[in-house]
Amino acid sequence: MLQPATRDTRALSGPTRLAHLFMSQFIQPGDLAVDATCGNGHDTLLLANLVGPSGRVWAFDVQERAISATSRRLGQAGMAERVELILGGHESLAEQVPTPVRGVMFNLGYLPGGDRSIITRPKTTRTALDQALSLLLPGGILAVTAYPGHAGGDCEEEMLREWSATLPQPLFHAWRMGQVNTPPGAPYLILIQKAA
Amino acid sequence: MLQPATRDTRALSGPTRLAHLFMSQFIQPGDLAVDATCGNGHDTLLLANLVGPSGRVWAFDVQERAISATSRRLGQAGMAERVELILGGHESLAEQVPTPVRGVMFNLGYLPGGDRSIITRPKTTRTALDQALSLLLPGGILAVTAYPGHAGGDCEEEMLREWSATLPQPLFHAWRMGQVNTPPGAPYLILIQKAA
């Protein structure tokens, strides 16, 4: 399936940039997508942009502050109508999203600029990740940006390693993408594709 | 710099597929590129396709059989004129390629279907990799597909790990992309971008 897309030659400077590159490659106008951790809304805005006016995005966060920031950002871009904002944990993803989706994004750790004691927890994250995989359409992708450097990041890393290593082949293509010339604790990307 | 590109939603089934995705994202018509290990010519054909009739590709291999196979493949696609085939080791890359390039591809290990005792060697490969980085334009990318499973693959992996980990930041963004739900010894991708 070869169709026009957007060429984006910005620097491959971190895992968020890679996540955006893959989402841009796979999500098309009219698609459905999920931002499981909307934070300040950067990923939500990307997804809203990619799915276009005929698509739909569900965006979750446990913090009111994150939902407000995302709502503001979407409003400024004129994309509020494409997105359903949900104040709640992403472990309710399967309940809230009624239909299979093309892409799901997770950005773990704490809210930038917010309360650093409110972090994603390995157990609820794992539940949400499993739900995200069930929601994926064949060929759809899940991108998880992880930050082993923050407090609690090591438990999360262990969970992610164990979880991703046991995903069944050939049903899932599961990748770890990390920078190799950075200090230990640098963020990395887990990218999963459900086979078509 | 956002321009139309080709959307390619095929399965992310292995490192070669990822290498092709990144090359397709960064190489544009009129660009110059290098295939340091042309093998059966699949990567050379991709690069020739991406640079278009106004671009140029230099393709190296130490085996006559690889050069012939690549030549045939390019001829069938009507792209022979875009490619300079060089029967020789890629450690002469800097001598043979007279100008900076947008992308360089390496596919290590032995020639599929050929003599498995003729493999890329860590020392010459490292020399060639350093030369490739010097040749890269700002923003240009180097993709190295490595096969730790073959005989000699462990030394090569050690060389690649040490080499990539010491590339200076912020001049190079250096990534390792490996599948996490595959048996040990699965091939992986090293992707390097020179900062713009």
Side-chain angles (χ1 to χ4, degrees):
Chain A
M1 184 167 28
L2 297 176
Q3 297 175 23
T6 297
R7 185 192 296 279
D8 180 351
T9 57
R10 285 172 302 158
L12 300 172
S13 51
T16 306
R17 165 73 176 101
L18 279 190
H20 285 205
L21 189 151
F22 284 104
M23 289 292 156
S24 303
Q25 195 69 209
F26 285 92
I27 296 183
Q28 307 192 24
D31 276 347
L32 308 176
V34 171
D35 184 352
T37 49
C38 66
N40 288 323
H42 297 284
D43 294 345
T44 314
L45 182 66
L46 172 87
L47 294 173
N49 199 12
L50 291 172
V51 302
S54 62
R56 186 138 199 87
V57 177
W58 289 263
F60 296 77
D61 210 289
V62 287
Q63 295 189 64
E64 187 110 38
R65 177 176 169 160
I67 295 290
S68 310
T70 303
S71 176
R72 235 181 355 260
R73 194 179 296 280
L74 292 167
Q76 282 161 3
M79 297 186 190
E81 290 192 356
R82 306 175 190 179
V83 181
E84 186 165 332
L85 291 169
I86 297 149
L87 178 64
H90 47 218
E91 65 277 14
S92 67
L93 210 139
E95 281 170 48
Q96 303 276 356
V97 182
T99 171
V101 300
R102 182 85 60 192
V104 181
M105 298 183 82
F106 281 73
N107 202 325
L108 303 178
Y110 54 78
L111 176 67
D115 180 348
R116 296 192 174 198
S117 72
I118 305 174
I119 57 171
T120 48
R121 301 283 173 193
K123 207 181 149 191
T124 53
T125 301
R126 188 177 176 135
T127 303
L129 289 171
D130 283 329
Q131 293 182 8
L133 289 186
S134 321
L135 272 181
L136 279 187
L137 287 165
I141 59 170
L142 164 63
V144 185
T145 303
Y147 302 80
H150 75 81
D154 48 345
C155 297
E156 189 172 86
E157 187 169 20
E158 197 184 314
M159 179 277 287
L160 282 173
R161 187 185 304 122
E162 200 272 321
W163 174 79
S164 60
T166 53
L167 294 174
Q169 272 271 17
L171 182 57
F172 294 107
H173 305 296
W175 295 86
R176 184 188 192 283
M177 304 182 174
Q179 280 172 287
V180 290
N181 62 342
T182 48
Y188 61 93
L189 181 70
I190 299 286
L191 184 78
I192 320 270
Q193 185 180 38
K194 187 180 275 190
Chain B
M1 184 164 34
L2 297 175
Q3 296 175 22
T6 298
R7 185 192 295 278
D8 180 351
T9 56
R10 286 174 301 160
L12 300 173
S13 52
T16 306
R17 165 72 176 102
L18 278 191
H20 284 206
L21 188 152
F22 283 105
M23 288 292 157
S24 302
Q25 194 70 210
F26 285 91
I27 295 184
Q28 308 193 22
D31 275 347
L32 309 175
V34 171
D35 185 351
T37 51
C38 66
N40 288 322
H42 297 283
D43 294 346
T44 315
L45 182 65
L46 171 87
L47 294 173
N49 200 10
L50 291 172
V51 302
S54 61
R56 188 139 198 86
V57 176
W58 289 263
F60 295 79
D61 210 289
V62 288
Q63 295 189 65
E64 188 111 35
R65 175 175 173 164
I67 295 291
S68 310
T70 302
S71 177
R72 239 184 348 265
R73 194 178 295 279
L74 292 167
Q76 282 162 4
M79 296 186 192
E81 290 192 354
R82 307 176 192 180
V83 181
E84 186 166 332
L85 292 169
I86 297 151
L87 178 63
H90 47 216
E91 65 276 16
S92 66
L93 210 139
E95 281 169 48
Q96 303 275 357
V97 182
T99 171
V101 301
R102 182 85 60 193
V104 181
M105 296 182 82
F106 282 72
N107 203 324
L108 303 178
Y110 53 78
L111 177 66
D115 180 347
R116 296 194 176 198
S117 72
I118 305 175
I119 57 170
T120 46
R121 301 284 173 194
K123 207 181 147 190
T124 53
T125 301
R126 189 177 175 134
T127 303
L129 289 171
D130 282 329
Q131 292 181 9
L133 289 186
S134 318
L135 272 180
L136 280 187
L137 287 165
I141 58 170
L142 164 64
V144 185
T145 303
Y147 301 80
H150 76 79
D154 48 347
C155 297
E156 190 172 85
E157 187 171 19
E158 196 184 316
M159 179 277 287
L160 282 173
R161 187 184 306 121
E162 201 272 321
W163 175 78
S164 59
T166 53
L167 293 174
Q169 273 268 21
L171 183 56
F172 294 107
H173 305 296
W175 295 85
R176 184 188 191 283
M177 303 180 175
Q179 279 171 287
V180 291
N181 62 341
T182 48
Y188 61 93
L189 181 69
I190 299 286
L191 184 77
I192 320 269
Q193 183 180 41
K194 188 181 275 190

